[in-house]
Amino acid sequence: MKALDGLGLAVVAALTVTGIVLMSPGRAEARTPDVRYTLDPVTRKDYAGFGEEGFAALEQALTAFFGPHAQPTLPDGAAEALGLSPERIQHGRNLYVEKCMHCHGMSGGGDGPTAPFLVPRPRSFRMGKIKFASTPRTSPPVHEDLLRVLQRGVAYTAMPSFVNESREDLEALASYAQFLLMRGSTERLVAFVLDDEGTLEEELTPEQRQQAILEYMAEEFDGVRQSWVDARDQVIEAPTPRPQASEESVARGKALFLDATTECSACHGEDGKGQGPNVYSAEPFPDEITGELRTGYKKYDEWGTELKAAERGYEARPADLTRGFYRGGDRPIDLYRRIHQGVNGNIMPAFGGNLTPEQIWDLVNYIYSIRFLGVR
Amino acid sequence: MHRLWTLLFGAAAVFAVGIFFWAAGKSGYWFPENVSVIGVDIDHLYWVITWITGITFVVVMVLFLWFLWKYGDERRPGKAVFTHGNHTLETVWTAVPAAILVFIAVYQYGAWKEAKFRSHMPDSPLHARVLAGQFEWRIRYPGPDRELYTDDDVEQVNLLHAWKDQDIVLQLESRDVLHSFFVPAARMKQDMVPGMKQNMWFQITRAGEYEIACAELCGWGHYKMKGHLIVHETKADFDRWYQEALGRQNADQRDPSIWERGE
Ligand SMILES: [Cu+2]
């Protein structure tokens, strides 16, 4: 009996201590001990010749250039040039670790612990682009694009809205996302140059090699920074307002939608449900990546293609235009930009060069006319 | 030594009652202040039930501890006596709780009817359709034409605007799993079942901003499924906001304000 009493007391004591520990407020730093930015798996796959030593050197140079995980920095006054403050980037990183990491991953690779369960996959920032931007598809997005995604979320995906967070926090998160995007594109460019120049095969001391990588990095980053600065002057605007959705305009839009030159319906389907013959097949076809026979969506977005990931969540799924929502936003200007520049990193191409603004508006009017067919 | 258990259980009971009173007096640990019409009845019911269960809890704990203390004395001489069954006692402890339950069932009926019976749904046009999904609330207003899915709809995420003293009638739907639309300050909660259309209605008596929470564990992001109910002082204020939101939504040449919640 005595032993039982002792056991009981021990249990009560243990529960009390656990309770106190769990209830005491933890510190953010204490929760993220010793994390680092890892290399892009695409770098590792595409440049396997670097070897572990080369990868370590590249990672070390990236850390020297962009700071360690606990202290991300945009070098060369890039933050200032883009109107981002270093404090905001730091604050954004702390928030990111708390709110975004479990989907987007510790290094922003879209590979957090939750990622494999999501369709579509969370965005990887490593390619330096996002799908829904207001800029030309060859340019990086702008700060406002990230703020918009943060506030609206991406409809019908796992990306939720953070509209009720403070503006300061939203600014910080958008700033840190830009850091990750710029860091990601720089890593890719530098890996390409290192491979091209054969730098890692040369007989160099570790210091010399580090120096050489850092020089390339500064050079490549300069270009990246410039493209981000330039993008701010390239935001797509419609020269004319959206005209009335008259019967004629809708009819012209419909004709364009079904036309063989635009091929809208080849992907979005004649009914607009997003399963046109170019992208979807109920008959077995060989998978683009694995070659195995399967049915469903035929193509992958760039993230899937780059990763060679023939997994759910990387397929290119054209929008079902009858469901009453669009992932890139449902304002007329969002649709205008989508048609004008397509979906960056996905198979939806840019029509800005082939269609006049009037034609784009006709298409928008037609698309609006069918948008609630599937929900009414 | 056995009497130590009495003290431990006693301490737990005192702690539980103590923490209740402590939390009740501390803002932030309790319900937010009620701001809805139906909330008055619901708070009243809440306290009636809390008093019934609270008194029962105290009586049961006192008896329990008294027995523990008395028979936990290791110096008590003799063996324990086992008894089996006592009809009077069993009848009493069955009948009394049953009577209390019947009382609660009858007593709450009026409030339940007001809050949930379709026949008591106010005869006002639909204010908004709330579509729950992992992990957000998509809120679509039918707009001036009072019809959903037309060009004067506004859709926002996690923001529900309304005005003071309005009969707010909502249509609740889920697009994936079970969710529950909960407005703590209005004391209103309604589960959302995929494939079913539910209605919810309430009236807020004070302008301000109140939390909306998901009250049904719906997945890993359940905790962040949070929205805000923004109650404007007058319908005119609401209409002004609506026109502004509609303007933002109809942006067709460049981006107006980037801030979804207005400047
Ligand atoms: Cu939920």
Side-chain angles (χ1 to χ4, degrees):
Chain A
M1 258 343 245
K2 282 273 186 289
L4 206 62
D5 285 340
L7 187 70
L9 272 179
V11 168
V12 171
L15 283 177
T16 313
V17 172
T18 318
I20 289 169
V21 170
L22 285 178
M23 281 163 72
S24 62
R27 294 178 9 253
E29 311 88 78
R31 289 198 299 267
T32 54
D34 200 30
V35 288
R36 64 190 175 94
Y37 293 111
T38 53
L39 278 192
D40 187 344
V42 176
T43 308
R44 285 182 165 272
K45 189 161 45 59
D46 287 356
Y47 305 106
F50 289 2
E52 278 314 310
E53 211 181 313
F55 288 141
L58 178 56
E59 197 180 310
Q60 198 190 336
L62 280 162
T63 306
F65 198 75
F66 288 103
H69 204 292
Q71 250 181 322
T73 351
L74 278 181
D76 288 344
E80 291 72 14
L82 288 167
L84 313 172
S85 78
E87 295 75 36
R88 271 194 178 156
I89 295 177
Q90 177 71 53
H91 180 47
R93 178 264 175 195
N94 295 344
L95 290 169
Y96 178 96
V97 166
E98 215 177 277
K99 296 173 192 287
C100 322
M101 180 281 290
H102 51 88
C103 290
H104 290 286
M106 217 45 160
S107 306
D111 51 2
T114 325
F117 307 102
L118 303 180
V119 177
R121 295 293 172 120
R123 183 58 42 245
S124 161
F125 301 111
R126 298 208 196 252
M127 275 162 60
K129 54 175 94 165
I130 61 172
K131 279 185 178 168
F132 306 113
S134 59
T135 48
R137 64 187 289 142
T138 43
S139 301
V142 291
H143 188 64
E144 286 72 20
D145 293 329
L146 295 156
L147 278 177
R148 192 172 305 111
V149 173
L150 280 164
Q151 290 180 84
R152 299 271 318 186
V154 180
Y156 286 68
T157 72
M159 173 69 189
S161 149
F162 292 89
V163 70
N164 288 311
E165 305 290 331
S166 74
R167 286 187 185 180
E168 186 46 43
D169 286 0
L170 291 169
E171 293 273 13
L173 284 168
S175 305
Y176 184 61
Q178 283 167 82
F179 166 83
L180 288 173
L181 287 160
M182 293 172 83
R183 193 186 184 281
S185 12
T186 310
E187 178 184 337
R188 286 191 167 220
L189 291 167
V190 170
F192 177 81
V193 173
L194 288 177
D195 184 54
D196 208 37
E197 305 271 337
T199 317
L200 295 173
E201 282 114 65
E202 287 169 35
E203 289 291 330
L204 297 170
T205 67
E207 291 74 31
Q208 285 170 325
R209 178 186 296 142
Q210 193 64 195
Q211 198 49 44
I213 302 178
L214 278 171
E215 267 164 38
Y216 289 134
M217 206 169 277
E219 214 171 287
E220 294 304 325
F221 180 71
D222 201 49
V224 171
R225 185 187 66 160
Q226 201 50 49
S227 69
W228 277 79
V229 172
D230 292 345
R232 282 144 57 93
D233 297 323
Q234 297 168 352
V235 171
I236 306 286
E237 293 184 351
T240 53
R242 176 192 167 203
Q244 278 287 323
S246 62
E247 258 174 57
E248 296 77 36
S249 171
V250 171
R252 284 196 301 269
K254 181 170 187 176
L256 275 171
F257 187 83
L258 298 172
D259 196 89
T261 50
T262 60
E263 286 205 298
C264 299
S265 53
C267 291
H268 290 282
E270 282 183 12
D271 55 3
K273 287 187 175 300
Q275 298 191 335
N278 279 12
V279 292
Y280 187 87
S281 169
E283 298 297 319
F285 58 89
D287 184 273
E288 234 174 47
I289 294 171
T290 63
E292 281 166 32
L293 283 186
R294 63 177 186 86
T295 58
Y297 290 95
K298 294 183 192 170
K299 302 184 188 232
Y300 296 97
D301 64 16
E302 272 181 40
W303 286 268
T305 314
E306 292 267 317
L307 284 164
K308 308 262 181 301
E311 295 165 43
R312 257 164 67 81
Y314 290 111
E315 305 104 327
R317 296 188 180 204
D320 179 343
L321 300 170
T322 65
R323 293 290 310 282
F325 71 91
Y326 315 98
R327 290 201 174 132
D330 44 18
R331 303 174 305 170
I333 186 65
D334 294 324
L335 267 67
Y336 184 92
R337 284 173 180 156
R338 213 79 311 119
I339 297 171
H340 198 285
Q341 287 303 320
V343 176
N344 205 354
N346 212 339
I347 58 173
M348 166 84 184
F351 291 95
N354 314 347
L355 299 178
T356 65
E358 291 71 36
Q359 286 178 308
I360 296 184
W361 279 133
D362 287 339
L363 263 174
V364 171
N365 280 340
Y366 171 64
I367 291 168
Y368 272 147
S369 77
I370 61 169
R371 75 163 147 171
F372 296 121
L373 289 185
V375 279
R376 265 210 200 96
Chain B
M1 190 61 190
H2 284 167
R3 280 187 156 175
L4 192 68
W5 285 107
T6 320
L7 296 177
L8 260 178
F9 281 116
V14 170
F15 181 71
V17 176
I19 209 166
F20 181 85
F21 279 103
W22 174 76
K26 204 169 151 79
S27 80
Y29 283 85
W30 207 248
F31 271 146
E33 200 187 334
N34 167 53
V35 291
S36 79
V37 175
I38 189 74
V40 177
D41 290 351
I42 291 173
D43 277 358
H44 171 72
L45 281 172
Y46 178 82
W47 283 110
V48 168
I49 294 169
T50 303
W51 276 109
I52 295 174
T53 50
I55 291 169
T56 312
F57 179 74
V58 171
V59 170
V60 168
M61 284 316 286
V62 167
L63 275 173
F64 172 56
L65 292 170
W66 181 73
F67 277 109
L68 265 184
W69 183 258
K70 185 169 175 204
Y71 296 103
D73 185 354
E74 279 158 343
R75 291 160 308 177
R76 265 179 80 89
K79 276 186 133 185
V81 182
F82 288 92
T83 62
H84 183 78
N86 181 325
H87 273 276
T88 322
L89 206 54
E90 282 173 21
T91 312
V92 170
W93 79 41
T94 309
V96 171
I100 292 174
L101 286 179
V102 170
F103 164 74
I104 294 175
V106 174
Y107 193 73
Q108 59 81 46
Y109 187 72
W112 180 255
K113 201 167 63 179
E114 276 303 312
K116 300 282 182 183
F117 272 30
R118 287 221 171 172
S119 53
H120 282 246
M121 187 161 103
D123 190 21
S124 342
L126 180 70
H127 180 60
R129 174 223 197 208
V130 180
L131 178 67
Q134 286 171 322
F135 298 95
E136 62 179 12
W137 312 99
R138 289 206 162 250
I139 295 163
R140 177 175 279 274
Y141 305 85
D145 71 352
R146 295 183 176 180
E147 248 185 83
L148 280 172
Y149 313 122
T150 53
D151 276 345
D152 66 350
D153 290 6
V154 162
E155 193 183 80
Q156 284 203 323
V157 192
N158 294 355
L159 288 173
L160 175 59
H161 287 257
W163 64 90
K164 203 179 83 174
D165 298 328
Q166 175 199 7
D167 277 321
I168 305 170
V169 177
L170 303 174
Q171 177 185 313
L172 309 180
E173 283 168 77
S174 164
R175 69 162 194 248
D176 41 34
V177 297
L178 286 180
H179 298 278
S180 183
F181 190 80
F182 184 26
V183 187
R187 307 293 191 262
M188 284 302 282
K189 187 192 278 181
Q190 175 64 53
D191 280 7
M192 302 155 102
V193 184
M196 267 174 94
K197 279 183 187 164
Q198 314 271 1
N199 283 108
M200 181 191 239
W201 56 91
F202 54 89
Q203 222 184 75
I204 301 285
T205 54
R206 198 189 309 155
E209 221 178 295
Y210 309 102
E211 192 190 339
I212 297 167
C214 181
E216 178 67 53
L217 182 57
C218 56
W220 61 267
H222 167 63
Y223 69 96
K224 64 175 161 196
M225 205 166 154
K226 233 159 100 168
H228 281 200
L229 166 64
I230 298 173
V231 179
H232 296 265
E233 190 63 46
T234 61
K235 179 167 189 313
D237 290 341
F238 172 85
D239 288 340
R240 206 167 307 129
W241 163 79
Y242 195 87
Q243 285 312 318
E244 196 192 301
L246 194 60
R248 272 203 304 276
Q249 178 139 314
N250 285 336
D252 60 354
Q253 285 192 273
R254 56 192 59 83
D255 297 296
S257 164
I258 190 64
W259 298 110
E260 281 280 317
R261 298 195 53 170
E263 280 308 322

